[in-house]
């Protein structure tokens, strides 16, 4: 068991951080070029030049293009209509048509984004040329284009791992702390050992502390391993204070163990406890902002995340590691998670007392 | 002064099952009291109530003068309990288990070694072995050691000999007898009627009711009917025939023989032989015997 506890987190970090990426490369694009002009060729070559797209073919048949889409050999079809170049030059207005496989909404969204970026680059290039050539001949006044410059703060190179690895640490700590504690007391029930212990003068708090303390230490130990991996395997610098991070983790683990303890006291078998814990933890994980940003959720779901302790740790760990937030910036989080820890543990102890 | 165990009218039900009905009995100091009855009779419920694990619906009970509900904390300090199911930590070693229970009670193995010596010395060679890997008899000895390590005043042993081989069982009862010398009061339950004779006093329990309380000797002495043991090769067939025989008061299988009681008092053995011989059972052996606790139990059950 012990090696599993130590090796598992590292393996999980390595696998998940590399697999769970939103960055998509080599999107397969298919062209329906009905114009076959200089402009249309230039546009195609723009797609050819990036890593994001991979050109899988070209024809003038819409049917063939759609067949590619339905066979999954293309992710996006770009249709360049007839007179694409002519309209652009003459009226300054032309159209390109994208058809995108949107089974995976996230991927489709990114595909549109990438394609639009390329298109915008192409348009500004053409605009510059045209305004230079035919500055007075254009009928409608074209707005001066606005160039957007941006720099990525806190994650300069937009490295996905920088964003994911700290969040995965939260996952690890949750699983270790919550899972083990939820199985613990119910195991004593299953084995019958609790019967013998209950007849002794041992105090309830002594028993519960005895049950929880080892897992609390274990969870923080795994957290430490995770942080070392973050630093020395993924080279993510820790911008904020280690103390704030540990203090928060310590309280967070308490809150999670409270949930585990509660489950342990209301269930009769390890199997029941395990099932209920998974059910809850999956919801917690999916609604923690690990994969889907909380801001993107519908309002009711956003409100629901308020009762999710994972959400707060997820935010704090990213803020502290990436942004270097100090205690002042996360003090509300501290307050909330302390509330959680007190609430879950009191309910668990109360429930445990009632039972015996 | 109250006797070490003092029970008045304890009742307990679980949903629609009545586990205990108005139970009252007393156990005197340094005596072995056997609660004897089949599975599901309510023995474990009685133990759990007395060890403060379960609340009774009605009734009062005192252990060493402490009330089982109001003074439960006091009781937990002075009793030793060995549940029917092996309840020690299987992944701790023998020694670790013992020192764990010693430390919970604020004592050490050395302090009370004298009391557990006789039992513990037998498993001491295996003290580094995990409790889960011990044999049934050794587990039971370890459990008893753990229940004794804090020098309890009252010892509760719930079916301690169930699932233990006959040799270890006899040995175990020997150990209990020796514990009396330390003034420990012992309440023990067992489904084995033959163990009744090892107790100072016994209570026969069935369907949550105490049928009779007495010393084993007195109980069998007071049995006023003649009992016959019949040995035959055709035991099963014979049993069925006797069940429909008009003069049968009671008949049941007992080990390798049949115990038969006639309706008529003072019926002669020779008369029975001649009657049974006519029932197409030429080969059998009939003998008048002294009643056992089991016979008393069967008789009491019949009267119910």
């Amino acid at each position: 068991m012990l090696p599993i506890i130590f090796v598992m987190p590292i393996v999980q970090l390595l696998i998940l951080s590399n697999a769970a990426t939103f960055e998509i490369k080599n999107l397969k694009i298919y062209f329906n070029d009905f114009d076959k002009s200089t402009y249309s060729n230039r546009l195609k070559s723009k797609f050819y030049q990036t890593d994001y797209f991979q050109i899988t073919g070209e024809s003038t048949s819409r049917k063939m293009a759609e067949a590619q889409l339905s066979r999954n050999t293309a992710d996006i079809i770009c249709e360049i209509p007839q007179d694409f170049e002519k309209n652009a030059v003459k009226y300054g207005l032309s159209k390109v048509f994208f058809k995108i496989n949107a089974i995976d909404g996230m991927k489709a969204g990114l595909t549109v984004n990438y394609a639009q970026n390329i298109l915008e680059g192409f348009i500004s290039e053409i605009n510059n040329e045209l305004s230079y050539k035919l500055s007075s001949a254009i009928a409608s006044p074209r707005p001066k284009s606005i160039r957007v410059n941006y720099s990525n703060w806190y994650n300069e190179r937009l490295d996905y791992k920088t964003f994911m690895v700290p969040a995965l640490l939260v996952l690890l700590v949750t699983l270790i702390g919550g899972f083990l504690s939820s199985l613990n007391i119910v195991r004593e029930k299953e084995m019958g050992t609790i019967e013998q212990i209950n007849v002794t003068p041992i105090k309830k708090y002594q028993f519960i502390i005895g049950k929880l303390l080892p897992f609390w230490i274990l969870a923080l130990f795994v957290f430490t391993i995770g942080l070392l991996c973050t630093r020395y395997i993924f080279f993510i610098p820790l911008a904020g204070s280690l103390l704030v991070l540990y203090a928060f983790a310590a309280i967070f683990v308490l809150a999670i163990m409270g949930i585990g303890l509660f489950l342990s006291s209301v269930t009769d078998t390890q199997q029941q406890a395990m099932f209920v814990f998974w059910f809850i933890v999956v919801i917690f994980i999916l609604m923690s902002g690990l994969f889907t940003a909380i801001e993107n959720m519908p309002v009711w779901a956003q409100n629901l995340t308020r009762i999710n302790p994972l959400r707060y740790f997820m935010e704090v760990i990213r803020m502290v590691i990436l942004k270097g937030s100090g205690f002042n910036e996360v003090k509300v989080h501290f307050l909330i998670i302390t509330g959680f820890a007190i609430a879950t543990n009191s309910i668990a102890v109360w429930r445990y007392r009632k039972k015996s | 002064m109250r006797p070490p165990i003092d029970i008045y009218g304890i009742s307990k039900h679980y949903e629609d099952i009545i586990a205990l009905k108005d139970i009252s009995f007393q156990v005197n100091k340094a005596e072995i009291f056997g609660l004897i009855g089949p599975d599901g009779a309510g023995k474990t419920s009685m133990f759990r109530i007395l060890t403060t694990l379960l609340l009774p619906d009605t009734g009062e009970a005192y252990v060493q003068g402490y009330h089982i509900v109001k003074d439960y904390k006091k009781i937990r300090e002075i009793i030793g309990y060995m549940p029917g199911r092996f309840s020690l930590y299987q992944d701790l070693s023998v020694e670790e288990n013992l020192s764990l229970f010693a430390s919970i009670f604020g004592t050490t193995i050395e302090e009370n070694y004298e009391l557990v010596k006789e039992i513990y010395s037998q498993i001491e060679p295996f003290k580094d072995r995990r409790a889960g890997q011990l044999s049934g008899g050794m587990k039971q000895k370890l459990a008893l050691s753990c229940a004794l390590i804090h020098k309890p005043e009252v010892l509760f042993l719930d079916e301690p000999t169930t699932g233990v081989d006959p040799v270890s069982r006899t040995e175990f009862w020997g150990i209990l007898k020796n514990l009396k010398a330390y003034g420990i009061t012992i309440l023990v339950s067992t489904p084995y009627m033959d163990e009744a004779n090892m107790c100072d006093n016994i209570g026969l329990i069935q369907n949550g009711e105490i049928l009779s309380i007495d010393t084993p000797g007195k109980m069998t002495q007071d049995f006023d009917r003649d009992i016959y043991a019949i040995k035959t090769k055709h035991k099963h067939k014979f049993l069925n025939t006797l069940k429909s025989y008009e003069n049968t008061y009671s008949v049941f299988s007992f080990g390798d023989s049949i115990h038969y009681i006639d309706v008529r008092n003072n019926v002669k053995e020779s008369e029975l032989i001649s009657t049974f011989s006519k029932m197409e059972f030429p080969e059998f052996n009939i003998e008048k015997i002294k009643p056992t606790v089991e016979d008393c139990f069967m008789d009491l059950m019949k009267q119910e």
Side-chain angles (χ1 to χ4, degrees), chain B residues 193-213:
Chain B
M193 305 280 171
D194 55 324
E195 290 182 344
N197 295 323
M198 311 285 195
C199 305
D200 299 317
N201 262 308
I202 52 171
L204 299 183
I205 184 168
Q206 161 76 4
N207 292 331
E209 281 181 283
I210 297 271
L211 304 177
S212 167
I213 295 176

Side-chain angles (χ1 to χ4, degrees), chain A residues 29-145:
Chain A
I29 187 163
Y30 190 88
F31 288 101
N32 270 165
D33 185 357
F34 298 107
D35 197 39
K36 297 224 189 292
S37 58
T38 328
Y39 275 19
S40 75
N41 280 332
R42 278 175 63 182
L43 179 61
K44 279 185 281 182
S45 70
K46 284 265 166 207
F47 278 96
Y48 190 70
Q49 281 159 14
T50 77
D51 282 344
Y52 294 117
F53 290 98
Q54 188 192 348
I55 296 167
T56 57
E58 179 183 339
S59 71
T60 49
S61 153
R62 282 197 182 119
K63 244 195 184 142
M64 270 177 71
E66 273 157 27
Q68 295 271 340
L69 208 56
S70 61
R71 263 186 280 140
N72 260 356
T73 44
D75 298 309
I76 177 169
I77 294 167
C78 175
E79 187 179 315
I80 304 169
Q82 221 179 334
D83 300 332
F84 172 71
E85 181 175 327
K86 196 173 126 196
N87 288 340
V89 175
K90 226 175 172 179
Y91 309 112
L93 188 74
S94 206
K95 285 173 182 166
V96 174
F97 185 41
F98 289 123
K99 283 180 214 161
I100 296 153
N101 175 3
I103 284 180
D104 180 347
M106 184 95 76
K107 189 175 170 188
L110 285 167
T111 311
V112 175
N113 252 326
Y114 294 157
Q116 250 167 8
N117 276 341
I118 289 170
L119 204 60
E120 266 160 30
F122 175 72
I123 290 167
S124 63
E125 208 178 291
I126 298 290
N127 273 347
N128 287 341
E129 284 174 27
L130 287 180
S131 56
Y132 173 70
K133 276 186 202 157
L134 336 136
S135 49
S136 57
I138 278 97
S140 54
R142 195 175 300 117
K144 288 265 182 284
S145 68

Side-chain angles (χ1 to χ4, degrees), chain A residues 283-285 287-288 304-312 340:
Chain A
I283 292 177
F284 274 178
I285 289 172
M287 297 197 73
S288 66
L304 213 60
T305 62
R306 285 172 204 278
I307 55 161
N308 181 357
L310 264 72
R311 170 212 160 134
Y312 299 100
F340 265 112

Side-chain angles (χ1 to χ4, degrees), chain A residues 264-278:
Chain A
S264 215
S265 61
V266 293
T267 51
D268 294 321
T269 63
Q270 293 191 61
Q271 209 169 18
Q272 284 173 6
M274 198 144 60
F275 178 77
V276 179
F277 181 76
W278 275 116

Side-chain angles (χ1 to χ4, degrees), chain A residues 186-202:
Chain A
V186 79
R187 180 163 185 271
E188 298 245 349
K189 279 192 219 169
E190 240 179 48
M191 308 279 289
T193 46
I194 203 157
E195 185 99 343
Q196 187 95 61
I197 285 289
N198 278 343
V199 182
T200 67
I202 195 167

Side-chain angles (χ1 to χ4, degrees), chain A residues 188 190 195-196 198 201, chain B residues 48 76 81 85 87 89 105:
Chain A
E188 298 245 349
E190 240 179 48
E195 185 99 343
Q196 187 95 61
N198 278 343
Chain B
R48 299 196 73 214
R76 289 180 182 183
Y81 174 43
R85 211 173 127 205
S87 307
Y89 291 92
F105 284 97

Side-chain angles (χ1 to χ4, degrees), chain B residues 67-283:
Chain B
H67 190 268
I68 51 154
V69 181
K70 288 180 212 137
D71 308 319
Y72 76 95
K73 280 186 180 162
K74 277 268 183 251
I75 292 182
R76 289 180 182 183
E77 281 170 22
I78 54 158
I79 60 166
Y81 174 43
M82 189 175 149
R85 211 173 127 205
F86 183 69
S87 307
L88 300 177
Y89 291 92
Q90 313 233 9
D91 39 10
L92 291 185
S93 75
V94 168
E95 198 179 19
E96 284 166 341
N97 264 302
L98 194 60
S99 59
L100 171 71
F101 281 94
S103 67
I104 287 176
F105 284 97
T107 178
T108 57
I109 298 179
E110 292 73 34
E111 211 170 306
N112 293 321
Y113 189 76
E114 188 55 35
L115 189 63
V116 295
K117 194 178 147 198
E118 189 191 348
I119 318 151
Y120 188 58
S121 59
Q122 295 178 36
I123 45 173
E124 222 167 359
F126 312 100
K127 64 180 183 185
D128 295 324
R129 197 183 283 187
R130 288 187 175 191
Q133 286 158 351
L134 294 176
S135 70
M138 289 208 282
K139 273 183 182 168
Q140 172 220 36
K141 278 171 198 152
L142 176 60
L144 185 62
S145 303
C146 289
L148 279 172
I149 193 64
H150 59 291
K151 217 171 183 185
E153 294 167 28
V154 185
L155 196 55
F156 293 92
L157 309 171
D158 190 7
E159 299 201 8
T161 54
T162 302
V164 176
D165 67 87
V167 176
S168 299
R169 272 168 60 186
T170 320
E171 196 183 22
F172 189 78
W173 282 99
I175 294 168
L176 293 190
K177 280 231 169 4
N178 293 343
L179 285 176
K180 290 202 307 186
Y182 292 91
I184 298 174
T185 307
I186 302 172
L187 179 65
V188 60
S189 76
T190 176
Y192 304 121
M193 305 280 171
D194 55 324
E195 290 182 344
N197 295 323
M198 311 285 195
C199 305
D200 299 317
N201 262 308
I202 52 171
L204 299 183
I205 184 168
Q206 161 76 4
N207 292 331
E209 281 181 283
I210 297 271
L211 304 177
S212 167
I213 295 176
D214 220 327
T215 64
K218 189 112 191 311
M219 197 175 278
T220 48
Q221 236 172 47
D222 290 352
F223 194 79
D224 52 2
R225 288 175 186 275
D226 291 338
I227 263 198
Y228 294 93
I230 302 165
K231 285 194 177 171
T232 168
K233 279 181 183 164
H234 316 277
K235 192 178 144 201
H236 188 69
K237 226 169 149 189
F238 209 143
L239 195 64
N240 283 336
T241 314
L242 285 179
K243 271 180 184 163
S244 49
Y245 174 53
E246 50 180 2
N247 283 326
T248 299
Y249 170 75
S250 91
V251 62
F252 58 89
S253 163
F254 189 99
D256 58 352
S257 60
I258 296 170
H259 280 195
Y260 171 81
I261 301 170
D262 203 273
V263 180
R264 303 158 288 180
N265 266 338
N266 305 320
V267 65
K268 289 213 174 64
E269 204 172 313
S270 53
E271 200 183 325
L272 287 176
I273 294 173
S274 64
T275 320
F276 294 157
S277 300
K278 287 175 203 149
M279 291 175 176
E280 298 162 50
F281 293 107
E283 286 174 59

